[in-house]
Amino acid sequence: MTKLGGRIYYGWYIVFSASIIVLLSMGLRMGIGPFVNPMIFDLGLTRTEFSLILAVGMIVYGLGMPLAGYILKYYSTRFVLITGLIIFCVSVICTITSNGIISFLLSFGILFSLGLSFLSNITLAPIICKWFVQQRGKALFYLSTGGMAGMAIMTPVEFTLIQAVGWKHSLLILGGVFVCIVLPSAIFIMKEDAPAEANDDSKRMSDQSRYMLDKITWKDAIKTRAYWQIVIGLFACGYGMNLMGSHAVPMLMDHHFEPMTASFGFGLIGIVAIFSSLFLGTIADRYPRKNILFWVYFVRGMGILGLVFVETPAQLFFVAVTGGLVWAGSIALSSAILSDFYGVHLLAMLNGWAFFGHQVGGAIGSFLGGWGFETFGTHILAFGSAAFISLIASFASFALPKKISFPKYNNINKDHSILK
């Protein structure tokens, strides 16, 4: 670990704390599968109605991310985290007391999703990028490791809790855990002012490039093709990950897997992703990020498709392990590439809107997973389309440029470019 003055570099404490928060928020958002059937049964909803509520939640989750990024421009990470925690806790109380589709939509579909969006990596990635330059890729991958650990841990934990005390008490218990983790982390750990050593990027870019990064605006960024290539990738990421998070466990149960086997099989993706993300983090600052991102989307697409056709626990676990090898890469790499291309000062806003595309994909995937099954009696439509879109994202990522130029900021007649 990087050290300053003989002590562990404080930025790593921020990374650890942020990873735990993302473990909880992404684990609950992406691992909602165990709640699906109990909520549907208790509230008398059809799978299509529940999928529609999930889709609305994905859109709200996506809109909340650029909102969080906008608030970060004027307030601190601490403020955004505490605001998100308050919204989340209110949503939990409203969800467990809801008694119809409208109240459930407002509480679980809207408030719940908004609160979690404020507790997501969109809020936490910028502060990590402030504290890390040379090891930015590694630090962001460690943040993603928290999300993958959330999938691995939260899914079986949720299933066990629901079996023991029901979905309402399970959600209440998880709300208490959020308070115990997020509140002290926000108050005592999230320090905005990084030391001068954290921003010593003289080895990475020229004075010209640094000048350009300080000058470009979000309007300049969204006019570049590279930004939309990142958005395409995150759309595919959201489509596949939210489809999996909402419908993988129910799909496997529809295919006659035992509930615990299905939950463990899905959770195994996150277990493997914990270790694979640590490995990917070691190479993210050494090799072209776009090439790594290509393989992430390509292998993930094949894994999503393979999950539909597994027939035995051994096959399920093999596909889960294979998919887990690349499950964590897209979010960390996309954030790192955006900060490399457009600068840390634009990361929260650009990342937020890019993740809105992620959530639009998530909304479509979540809805199609339920509607497609009820309409056609098969999961191939939803999971097959997710695999196809992942392949498109893989080639869009491979086509990313190595550098971006903004000639209007070339005040000394030299090309102002950003490396890798």
Side-chain angles (χ1 to χ4, degrees):
M1 288 187 178
T2 304
K3 295 185 178 182
L4 295 175
R7 297 184 299 176
I8 295 176
Y9 180 48
Y10 188 82
W12 291 114
Y13 294 111
I14 294 178
V15 171
F16 177 78
S17 178
S19 298
I20 298 299
I21 294 173
V22 171
L23 181 155
L24 293 173
S25 63
M26 185 174 286
L28 186 56
R29 177 73 272 177
M30 300 302 301
I32 202 68
F35 283 93
V36 173
N37 288 337
M39 285 179 168
I40 287 175
F41 177 80
D42 197 30
L43 295 169
L45 303 174
T46 67
R47 189 172 293 192
T48 297
E49 289 173 335
F50 189 84
S51 297
L52 181 60
I53 291 173
L54 285 180
V56 172
M58 295 302 169
I59 295 296
V60 173
Y61 189 66
L63 288 172
M65 289 179 171
L67 177 59
Y70 180 80
I71 295 174
L72 275 174
K73 290 179 60 178
Y74 303 99
Y75 299 96
S76 65
T77 303
R78 176 181 301 157
F79 177 85
V80 177
L81 288 175
I82 293 176
T83 300
L85 180 63
I86 292 172
I87 296 172
F88 173 75
C89 290
V90 171
S91 75
V92 168
I93 299 299
C94 293
T95 297
I96 64 177
T97 57
S98 61
N99 54 12
I101 187 171
I102 299 300
S103 60
F104 187 69
L105 170 64
L106 294 174
S107 57
F108 183 76
I110 296 177
L111 279 180
F112 185 85
S113 301
L114 182 62
L116 289 180
S117 71
F118 278 48
L119 303 176
S120 70
N121 65 306
I122 295 299
T123 299
L124 297 163
I127 193 172
I128 289 175
C129 287
K130 287 180 183 178
W131 281 82
F132 291 90
V133 174
Q134 298 296 323
Q135 300 185 77
R136 180 172 294 164
K138 179 185 290 188
L140 289 172
F141 260 105
Y142 286 175
L143 179 64
S144 291
T145 300
M148 297 307 103
M151 287 178 55
I153 295 171
M154 297 291 280
T155 300
V157 165
E158 289 165 9
F159 179 81
T160 302
L161 281 174
I162 291 170
Q163 291 288 95
V165 298
W167 72 266
K168 291 185 178 181
H169 287 93
S170 298
L171 201 57
L172 194 60
I173 291 171
L174 292 172
V177 173
F178 269 75
V179 172
C180 293
I181 297 296
V182 176
L183 189 59
S185 296
I187 294 175
F188 299 112
I189 297 178
M190 296 300 164
K191 297 180 180 180
E192 300 286 342
D193 297 327
E197 294 89 335
N199 296 303
D200 182 14
D201 56 1
S202 58
K203 296 181 180 180
R204 294 186 68 253
M205 61 180 65
S206 66
D207 289 339
Q208 299 168 8
S209 297
R210 193 179 302 108
Y211 169 83
M212 185 187 66
L213 283 180
D214 291 337
K215 294 297 182 180
I216 61 174
T217 67
W218 65 270
K219 293 181 180 180
D220 298 318
I222 64 173
K223 292 177 182 178
T224 62
R225 185 177 66 179
Y227 180 71
W228 296 104
Q229 289 170 262
I230 293 292
V231 172
I232 289 171
L234 288 174
F235 175 89
C237 175
Y239 191 106
M241 292 186 75
N242 286 283
L243 171 67
M244 292 277 288
S246 302
H247 297 287
V249 172
M251 179 200 69
L252 292 170
M253 293 171 62
D254 290 335
H255 290 180
H256 309 296
F257 284 92
E258 293 294 326
M260 183 57 77
T261 301
S263 295
F264 178 76
F266 180 71
L268 186 60
I269 297 174
I271 294 174
V272 175
I274 295 172
F275 300 99
S276 67
S277 64
L278 296 177
F279 168 73
L280 290 173
T282 63
I283 66 174
D285 299 308
R286 300 179 184 179
Y287 301 98
R289 305 194 209 278
K290 72 186 190 73
N291 295 350
I292 303 174
L293 195 56
F294 164 81
W295 286 109
V296 165
Y297 286 129
F298 185 86
V299 176
R300 183 185 295 177
M302 295 297 95
I304 292 173
L305 185 62
L307 200 66
V308 183
F309 297 102
V310 296
E311 296 181 351
T312 67
Q315 292 174 349
L316 168 61
F317 300 151
F318 174 78
V319 171
V321 169
T322 303
L325 292 175
V326 296
W327 200 252
S330 56
I331 294 176
L333 286 168
S334 296
S335 296
I337 291 172
L338 286 173
S339 63
D340 289 343
F341 281 175
Y342 309 110
V344 175
H345 73 290
L346 292 178
L347 179 60
M349 183 68 70
L350 294 178
N351 220 8
W353 282 113
F355 267 82
F356 176 65
H358 181 282
Q359 294 312 117
V360 170
I364 296 172
S366 296
F367 176 76
L368 191 61
W371 176 84
F373 179 73
E374 286 196 335
T375 303
F376 300 103
T378 178
H379 294 282
I380 294 178
L381 174 64
F383 285 79
S385 62
F388 178 71
I389 295 172
S390 292
L391 294 181
I392 294 176
S394 68
F395 289 102
S397 300
F398 188 76
L400 282 166
K402 293 183 179 180
K403 61 182 180 180
I404 298 179
S405 296
F406 296 87
K408 74 177 185 178
Y409 297 113
N410 189 350
N411 65 333
I412 54 176
N413 297 320
K414 290 186 178 180
D415 179 39
H416 292 230
S417 59
I418 305 173
L419 300 179
K420 204 172 72 166

